[in-house]
Structures are given as C-alpha cells and as structure tokens.
Amino acid sequence: MADDGASDFLNDFYPYRLDSETFRSIPADPVARDVVLAQVSAMAAREDAMADAGRVSGSIYSGDHDHYEFLTEVYGKFAHANVLQRDMYPSATKFESEIVAMTASMLHAEAVTEGEGAAGVVTSGGSESLISALYAYREQAAVERGVKSPNIVIPRSAHVALDKGGHWMGVEVRHAPVGDDYLVDVSAAEAMVDDQTIALVGSAGNYGHGLIDPIPELGEVAQRHGIGLHVDGCLGGFIWPWAEKLGYPVPPWDFRVPGVTSISADTHKYGYGLKGTSVLVFRSKALRRNLWFTAPEWPGGLYLSPGLAGSRSGGLIASTWAAMVTMGESGYLAAAQAILETAATIRDGIRDRMPQLQVIGDPLFLIAFRSDDLDIYLVNDALKERGWRLNALHLPAALHFAVTRPNTRPGLAEQFLDDLEASVAYAEEKAGQPAASGAVYGIGSMPSGFETIASLMGGVLDMMYEPAPDLPA
C-alpha cells in the first residue's frame, strides 16, 4: 500500500496527475485544440486564483488581466519572430533600443556626461542581467588590467544569481557582511578588495529585505580602487524612481551617484511587462562592448550576438515596449502610490499591533519581519492555512511581503494584519512544535525547512523535469 504522506507530497507537487493524462511520449494522434485549450484554461484559472485575490507576496506584479490580454495580443504578433535575424524583423531594433533608452532615462542616465554616454541591453530576467554584468566586468578587467584570478565583492544579502554567475564563469565571489541595519558593511567590503577585484555590487532593493545599500559610499570605494560598481535594481528599479517623484525618502542609488557603472532593472516586475525581460544599463558603451560576441570566421556566416542568448522571441521585446509606453509616467506613479501606501499600512500595523515581530530596516514597498520570540515559520504555516503566500527567508529566519498591485485592493492590508495577528497567536500556542514551512526560494513552503540540504534541493529540481508518477493502483 502506498504511503499516504508520500502520496500527499506527490499530489501537491504534481496536482494535475489526478485529473489529466500524463504524456511520456508524443501522442500517436493529435489532441484536439479545444481539449488542450480547455485544459490549459482550467490550469491558469486555478493557479491565478490566489494571486488575483491579492494574497500573494511578489510574483504577480500587475494583476490586471486586461493588461495581460493586451500584452499577449502584442506578443502574438511577434511570438514566432527570431530577433537574431534583424534583416527580417527590424522592428526589434525599434522596440529594444527604446526599452533601453526609456529605462536609462528613468535611471537618470543624463547624469553620465563622460564618453559616449550610457548604453544597455535587454535580457531574459534579473539573473541574466546580473550574470551579464559580471561577465562584462570580468572581460574588462582581463583586457585592461590583466586580471587572471578575478573576484567580485558583494553584500551577503545580494542576489544569489551573482553566486551562480561566479560559479559558472570562474569568478570568486566574496561576501561582505551586513550590519545591524541589514545594509552592507562598506568598510568590510573595501577590506576584501585587492588587485584582482573586478567590481563591487550594491543592492537597490535587496530581495530579502527590500533595502537599499549605501550606494554613494560604495561608489567612493569603487572610484578609489579603479573598479566598477554594479547596482542590482532588478527588484526595485522600476519603483524607486516613482517613489522619489512622489516624495518618499529614497536614498541615492542610480547614475547620479559617482562611481555607479551599471544598473539592472527588471521590466517583468514593477515594469509590468510579461515574464522574461530585464534591462541592464552600463555607464558607457565601452563597458557594454565586453558583452558582445562576434565570430567572423564561422563557416555558417558572420555571427554576432549581444549576450548569452542566441535566438530570442520578438514577442517579449514587443510586449515589454508596449507595457512601458501604455503605462506612461502617470500609470507608473499611480501604481507606485497605491503600493507604497499599502506597504506603509502593513509595516506600521506590524509595529503597532505585534510586539512579537520586528520589521527589518525601514522598508518602503517590501516588508520583511522576524521574531526573537517565535518560530517565524509557524507563523507562516498559519498564514498559509488562511490563504496567504509569503516568501520565507533565512539567516535570519524571516518572512517578507513584497507588495504589488493585486495587494492594493481596499481592505486587503487590514485583512492581512488581522490574519497575521492570529498567526502570531498560533505560533505562540504551538511553540516547540516543528513547522511545516521552510525557506526555499521560489517555493512558498516545503517540508523539512532548515533540514533541506543540497542533495534534497537537487532532487526537487529533478522532479521539476520529470513527468508525474503514475497513481497507485
């Protein structure tokens, strides 16, 4: 007899094995389009329900299905187009160059007065933007300074995609500690710099806590040592400019800061594009040229590529451009104002009503909180039972709520605070019991929590690429 616990886990991981056919080979006969469309539509409705109700942290940034339908219509016009072939699809040059120009303008590229001015690329997301920046600095340092054993100094709180990029490209990643304020210790970071350091990194909205590192101080360090400074604005890059215009206290972080040499900002987050695009802007074209790959001696023809990807769909580029121009400044400002007001309600409500919890730093749109008295993952268990999906963190154990447009509906922040207060009471009642929640990036909760080890995490990835097991007889 199958173990009920194992079956429950498999059914949670592969829910559609219960009510749909699992394909392990191409079907002998075509499945009717209406059958496929009905099945896919049911999956989409089921999976969008929690986010549409505004009960999810981050992940879904717009929540406006009319907006999605419009962008999908634009996407469909170019979904089949390979933008590597610009002679066939020159529209990609218009869309891509204008996405970069609009983003650079938002990041105050007019402050760049030296050289040829700022320049950028469109990537597939924040990870590719960060890894591409790492690659550009590695190549620059090798050519201009003869660096053979490159390293990069990043905050311990910086996004883990930098660690992945360092692993892939043979760049040592040095983690500078954060202080009691959860911002990078600049003195400690500078002490890690040596003659093989290719760049520093600071976060402008780190993933865990939504806080901005002291970018001006990092810029001074970068200038003293003649190295670059990348600002990871993947999460916050498309909300900080509007928060500043609305009068919120946003610390300096963009190209107005001397020493900042590149910035990443995700158009598929608070830029409200479809998933799969980000922008990486460099202070100079010379730095950007380190990304270019050209092969003039290949028998297949003169090959040139602006980054990691070869073939790319024109659909995402066209729809991202459409999202930006149809939002306009007024649309971005209105969205930011609603998000910032909602986040303030949540932040202040936690501080006023729940002394058992501590808000990390002084956040504006992403509210992270921890506890000295409670198992925060028990709090998460209770929130999950009440229909909420927050992001679980560790080192230290914490939760965060990245406020997006679906979370701004009237009364929702107050409902969250009521449910959070009840969840705190649940954690107090269940003190000493193991929590079901863990802190696995991209998964709201998972059995085994801190006992999750590398082999188990690899097993989860294996499962993501395997068809659902057969149901027990």
Side-chain angles (χ1 to χ4, degrees):
M1 179 180 292
D3 177 77
D4 289 342
S7 295
D8 289 344
F9 174 74
L10 288 173
N11 292 340
D12 285 344
F13 202 90
Y14 300 108
Y16 301 112
R17 77 180 189 140
L18 301 175
D19 54 17
S20 65
E21 181 179 358
T22 298
F23 293 98
R24 290 182 172 81
S25 61
I26 296 173
D29 297 311
V31 179
R33 290 182 177 182
D34 60 339
V35 172
V36 170
L37 189 58
Q39 188 175 69
V40 170
S41 297
M43 290 178 181
R46 174 177 173 175
E47 294 174 7
D48 278 343
M50 183 183 290
D52 287 345
R55 302 176 78 85
V56 172
S57 162
S59 184
I60 304 299
Y61 290 84
S62 172
D64 181 344
H65 283 269
D66 289 338
H67 178 72
Y68 295 150
E69 288 176 11
F70 165 68
L71 295 187
T72 301
E73 185 176 357
V74 174
Y75 176 92
K77 304 296 184 185
F78 294 96
H80 58 284
N82 183 359
V83 302
L84 194 62
Q85 299 159 338
R86 291 297 171 102
D87 60 327
M88 293 179 62
Y89 303 108
S91 57
T93 296
K94 171 182 172 63
F95 298 142
E96 200 158 26
S97 65
E98 292 179 15
I99 291 168
V100 170
M102 287 187 284
T103 304
S105 174
M106 181 186 70
L107 301 177
H108 291 280
E110 79 281 352
V112 179
T113 56
E114 66 272 20
E116 302 167 291
V121 292
V122 177
T123 71
S124 64
S127 289
E128 187 182 347
S129 285
L130 292 172
I131 294 169
S132 296
L134 184 60
Y135 175 77
Y137 287 117
R138 188 193 75 173
E139 297 302 288
Q140 178 194 49
V143 172
E144 296 181 6
R145 295 165 44 213
V147 169
K148 298 185 183 301
S149 301
N151 68 74
I152 189 166
V153 178
I154 73 173
R156 177 72 267 183
S157 55
H159 199 281
V160 72
L162 290 158
D163 294 271
K164 180 164 69 174
H167 175 73
W168 282 355
M169 294 189 292
V171 176
E172 178 193 357
V173 179
R174 298 179 175 178
H175 297 98
V178 298
D180 293 339
D181 57 2
Y182 293 87
L183 304 179
V184 67
D185 182 328
V186 176
S187 296
E190 182 165 18
M192 294 180 176
V193 174
D194 61 23
D195 64 351
Q196 299 294 292
T197 302
I198 59 175
L200 294 168
V201 172
S203 301
N206 61 43
Y207 167 80
H209 313 124
L211 306 176
I212 299 178
D213 284 315
I215 303 302
E217 289 85 345
L218 289 172
E220 292 173 4
V221 173
Q223 290 180 300
R224 274 198 296 274
H225 293 273
I227 57 177
L229 169 59
H230 178 76
V231 177
D232 174 15
C234 290
L235 179 59
F238 270 85
I239 196 166
W240 296 131
W242 318 118
E244 182 183 349
K245 283 199 170 189
L246 290 166
Y248 285 81
V250 179
W253 69 280
D254 59 23
F255 283 117
R256 290 170 291 182
V257 177
V260 171
T261 49
S262 59
I263 301 174
S264 50
D266 286 2
T267 37
H268 69 194
K269 290 189 174 77
Y270 292 99
Y272 306 119
L274 296 178
K275 282 296 182 185
T277 61
S278 174
V279 181
L280 172 59
V281 184
F282 296 100
R283 198 173 192 93
S284 70
K285 290 182 179 178
L287 181 55
R288 182 181 65 176
R289 288 190 189 105
N290 290 286
L291 281 183
W292 297 165
F293 179 82
T294 59
E297 298 180 1
W298 181 46
L302 299 176
Y303 181 89
L304 65 161
S305 174
L308 179 65
S311 297
R312 291 184 294 145
S313 170
L316 279 174
I317 294 170
S319 61
T320 299
W321 175 87
M324 295 175 74
V325 299
T326 57
M327 283 293 296
E329 282 203 17
S330 60
Y332 282 119
L333 284 166
Q337 183 165 0
I339 287 167
L340 295 164
E341 289 174 353
T342 300
T345 298
I346 293 171
R347 180 194 63 213
D348 297 344
I350 293 172
R351 287 174 173 164
D352 294 343
R353 294 170 53 177
M354 287 158 259
Q356 307 95 322
L357 303 180
Q358 296 83 49
V359 173
I360 294 175
D362 193 20
L364 290 182
F365 73 92
L366 182 154
I367 313 303
F369 52 92
R370 56 183 294 272
S371 178
D372 292 327
D373 307 312
L374 304 171
D375 182 342
I376 201 70
Y377 300 134
L378 284 172
V379 176
N380 198 34
D381 288 350
L383 284 170
K384 184 180 178 184
E385 287 298 315
R386 287 167 170 78
W388 298 91
R389 184 190 185 277
L390 268 62
N391 299 89
L393 317 172
H394 75 162
L395 303 175
L399 303 177
H400 85 213
F401 195 144
V403 179
T404 63
R405 291 178 75 186
N407 309 134
T408 62
R409 62 181 59 195
L412 192 134
E414 290 76 12
Q415 180 62 60
F416 171 73
L417 290 170
D418 290 343
D419 286 344
L420 179 59
E421 196 166 27
S423 298
V424 167
Y426 170 88
E428 290 177 323
E429 178 187 342
K430 301 296 183 181
Q433 296 187 18
S437 299
V440 182
Y441 182 86
I443 301 177
S445 65
M446 182 177 177
S448 74
F450 281 107
E451 296 176 4
T452 302
I453 57 175
S455 60
L456 176 58
M457 294 167 74
V460 172
L461 291 171
D462 286 339
M463 291 178 68
M464 290 180 183
Y465 289 89
E466 294 171 1
D470 291 329
L471 291 168

